[in-house]
Amino acid sequence: MARIFITGSADGLGQLSANALIKLGHQVVLHARSEERAQHALKQVPGAEDVLIADLSSIEETKALASKANALGIFDVVIHNAGVYQVPRNSVGAEGLPTILAVNSLAPYILTCLMHKPERLIYLSSGMHLQGDPGLDNLPADIHSRGNHVTYSDTKLHDVILSMAVARRYKSIFSNAVDPGWVPTRMGGAGAPDNLEKGFETQVWLAVSNDPKACVSGQYFHHKRHAHYLPAADDVAVQEKFLVRCKQITQVGFDEEKA
Ligand SMILES: NC(=O)c1ccc[n+]([C@@H]2O[C@H](COP(=O)([O-])OP(=O)(O)OC[C@H]3O[C@@H](n4cnc5c(N)ncnc54)[C@H](OP(=O)(O)O)[C@@H]3O)[C@@H](O)[C@H]2O)c1
């Protein structure tokens, strides 16, 4: 039995992955943005071990989430699933950073750095990452500068870059990225053309399967198969630039781990 932490599990693919993993006999800790959403998550995922609360648009709340997760012990698997797509262009979190950047890019970075290292890490990306900027020019220089407009595509490229950087730096961890397809969750919308079931089965498989095809690292998957991703994500210089910039913004170092 594996112990799994899933961010953004009050709804959508996070909630579906959580239920699927519990059905397979695994132990799952949920995450939600608020007390109200936490109660909703627990109701929707009966059998969950616990739920942790943090609004990931806040850098400080995300750091505190890492401490709360560490207080529960070591997880075998962490699924970085929480994400936002359509937020008002000027939406910002507690520290004034763009919400889409804080939730989609910085939260996975901070949690990766500060949580005890699991055996497997899964990062939810998107086929839209192909339109992201590999020059990373839209990332702000630090927490005080606003930077350029960061797009959803940029953030989903960040997730692939982070996943590949972890795979390169931590040889003992299986770190992979997933494009779940365009599926009918709240984010995908009712008219999304892809199969909802296929939207979470890859994460579940990567999390707990002993299939040699799932026990790999530094890969990008779509529907349990390797898929094309932007080659820049494998570029060590791009990865290092991303890690340095994230450290400048969050004041959290990549090799740091908080007890
Ligand atoms: N659906 C698609 O077609 C599609 C396609 C490609 C990639 N993806 C990726 O798949 C992942 C899951 O997407 P989904 O379709 O399941 O989306 P969803 O139904 O909108 O669910 C997103 C989850 O993230 C949580 N979340 C958002 N902002 C948060 C914040 N500030 N703090 C804490 N939690 C927050 C949400 O909490 P609340 O419910 O409280 O808002 C929700 O649980 C995302 O990373 C997304 O980018 C989805």
Side-chain angles (χ1 to χ4, degrees):
M1 182 184 68
R3 192 153 179 259
I4 301 140
F5 180 57
I6 308 175
T7 66
S9 31
D11 213 326
L13 298 177
Q15 183 196 104
L16 289 161
S17 305
N19 273 315
L21 286 160
I22 289 169
K23 208 168 156 193
L24 288 171
H26 300 287
Q27 218 174 327
V28 174
V29 173
L30 308 169
H31 156 255
R33 69 168 73 221
S34 63
E35 182 59 46
E36 190 192 342
R37 295 301 287 159
Q39 290 313 316
H40 173 81
L42 286 174
K43 217 178 272 172
Q44 296 302 313
V45 188
E49 179 194 328
D50 206 344
V51 58
L52 299 179
I53 298 172
D55 181 342
L56 301 181
S57 68
S58 158
I59 304 299
E60 288 310 314
E61 284 201 32
T62 304
K63 289 180 185 174
L65 176 63
S67 300
K68 290 180 205 172
N70 286 345
L72 295 182
I74 297 179
F75 289 92
D76 301 300
V77 185
V78 178
I79 304 180
H80 293 283
N81 163 87
V84 283
Y85 177 60
Q86 271 181 323
V87 283
R89 203 180 160 94
N90 53 0
S91 168
V92 293
E95 293 86 7
L97 288 163
T99 299
I100 199 160
L101 176 71
V103 175
N104 293 6
S105 309
L106 300 176
Y109 169 82
I110 292 168
L111 295 174
T112 299
C113 295
L114 295 182
M115 279 181 71
H116 298 321
K117 299 289 174 280
E119 291 170 14
R120 303 185 186 200
L121 278 162
I122 299 151
Y123 297 86
L124 265 290
S125 179
S126 158
M128 288 180 72
H129 88 272
L130 293 166
Q131 283 79 51
D133 168 30
L136 305 175
D137 292 328
N138 297 335
L139 276 175
D142 56 46
I143 203 160
H144 303 296
S145 60
R146 294 290 74 99
N148 298 324
H149 175 63
V150 180
T151 66
Y152 177 78
S153 293
D154 290 335
T155 63
K156 290 291 129 176
L157 173 58
H158 298 160
D159 295 329
V160 186
I161 293 170
L162 177 59
S163 168
M164 300 305 165
V166 173
R168 178 174 60 84
R169 292 268 208 110
Y170 293 95
K171 299 293 182 208
S172 60
I173 299 177
F174 295 154
S175 172
N176 295 290
V178 174
D179 162 22
W182 181 9
V183 292
T185 57
R186 189 184 58 202
M187 180 187 287
D194 262 352
N195 180 292
L196 184 59
E197 186 105 3
K198 286 198 180 301
F200 62 91
E201 71 176 17
T202 305
Q203 296 87 293
V204 169
W205 175 70
L206 286 172
V208 295
S209 174
N210 289 325
D211 180 345
K213 288 181 182 156
C215 299
V216 296
S217 197
Q219 307 295 323
Y220 176 85
F221 287 93
H222 174 63
H223 295 179
K224 293 168 97 172
R225 289 171 184 268
H226 292 185
H228 171 70
Y229 62 97
L230 221 56
D234 284 332
D235 185 328
V236 174
V238 172
Q239 291 175 6
E240 291 301 313
K241 182 174 177 182
F242 177 72
L243 299 178
V244 166
R245 198 59 76 83
C246 285
K247 182 177 182 179
Q248 285 166 341
I249 301 169
T250 64
Q251 298 301 304
V252 175
F254 187 63
D255 293 315
E256 226 169 293
E257 187 178 313
K258 217 182 201 171

